[in-house]
Amino acid sequence: ALQQDLVEKRKQGLIPDQLLIVEHPHVITLGRNGRAENLLASPEVLRRAGIAFHQTDRGGDITYHGPGQVVGYPILDLREWRRDVAVYVRSLEQVLIDTLAEFHIQAGRLAGATGVWVEGRKIAAIGVHISRWVTSHGFALNHSTDLSYFQYIVPCGLAKPVTSMAELGCRAGRGEVAA
């Protein structure tokens, strides 16, 4: 609700660009282009595991959010920068790649797959929504995420493993990474 309120205010020019950094409780979200078969657990199994499920208006398929992730929701007016969705998504990827480099993690892109990758394992997911050139939703960077929660989905619709900064040996605190 906060994100939606800020998006509406940004569309009206009432506020400048914003960046929300959050950490969600256990939740699985399905994007507007997502495929239900990428959810591997029944509602009952999710409930027992303490995982909420929500459909969203963001792009992308299915993903998990939870404790240990750095989730960022940029609310930007692309009319003031560049009206190009692909360039915006690649820019988000580059910000994450550069951030990981600060923590001595060599990350990059994987051909044909949105997000940020380390040795074939996804470390950050990206799913955006753009309305009247104002962005919402954004990215989820696995900092110290319990990766076992990804067992309930086919992350982003890709049968590829996930990783986290902690799994790669990074001991930086979440606050350091979010800054």
Side-chain angles (χ1 to χ4, degrees):
L2 171 63
Q3 180 179 198
Q4 291 170 343
D5 180 56
L6 293 172
V7 166
E8 287 309 311
K9 287 178 178 170
R10 186 66 188 112
K11 285 179 183 178
Q12 297 170 34
L14 300 174
I15 60 171
D17 291 341
Q18 306 285 309
L19 174 61
L20 301 176
I21 300 288
V22 300
E23 184 176 39
H24 288 290
H26 302 291
V27 62
I28 290 173
T29 62
L30 183 67
R32 66 181 179 270
N33 301 320
R35 295 177 28 196
E37 59 266 25
N38 289 327
L39 177 61
L40 304 176
S42 69
E44 174 60 24
V45 169
L46 293 179
R47 187 187 64 70
R48 281 196 316 256
I51 304 170
F53 175 80
H54 296 282
Q55 292 187 316
T56 71
D57 65 353
R58 67 163 170 75
D61 202 299
I62 196 165
T63 197
Y64 161 79
H65 294 307
Q69 280 184 333
V70 177
V71 178
Y73 296 137
I75 300 168
L76 311 173
D77 189 337
L78 296 182
R79 293 172 299 185
E80 296 180 6
W81 179 63
R82 192 167 174 183
R83 294 181 195 209
D84 189 319
V85 176
V87 168
Y88 173 64
V89 171
R90 297 295 86 77
S91 296
L92 284 178
E93 289 172 342
Q94 193 59 52
V95 165
L96 292 162
I97 290 166
D98 293 346
T99 298
L100 289 163
E102 290 182 30
F103 297 97
H104 309 290
I105 295 173
Q106 186 177 1
R109 294 178 179 88
L110 186 66
T114 301
V116 178
W117 303 80
V118 177
E119 299 173 357
R121 295 177 288 166
K122 191 170 223 175
I123 193 166
I126 295 176
V128 301
H129 179 77
I130 299 174
S131 172
R132 295 188 351 230
W133 293 107
V134 174
T135 67
S136 59
H137 298 284
F139 64 85
L141 173 62
N142 295 330
H143 170 259
S144 56
T145 315
D146 180 347
L147 301 176
S148 70
Y149 282 90
F150 285 94
Q151 72 182 309
Y152 300 106
I153 63 171
V154 179
C156 303
L158 302 171
K160 297 209 177 279
V162 293
T163 192
S164 69
M165 294 176 72
E167 185 178 68
L168 296 169
C170 180
R171 299 294 170 239
R174 186 182 180 282
E176 289 176 77
V177 176

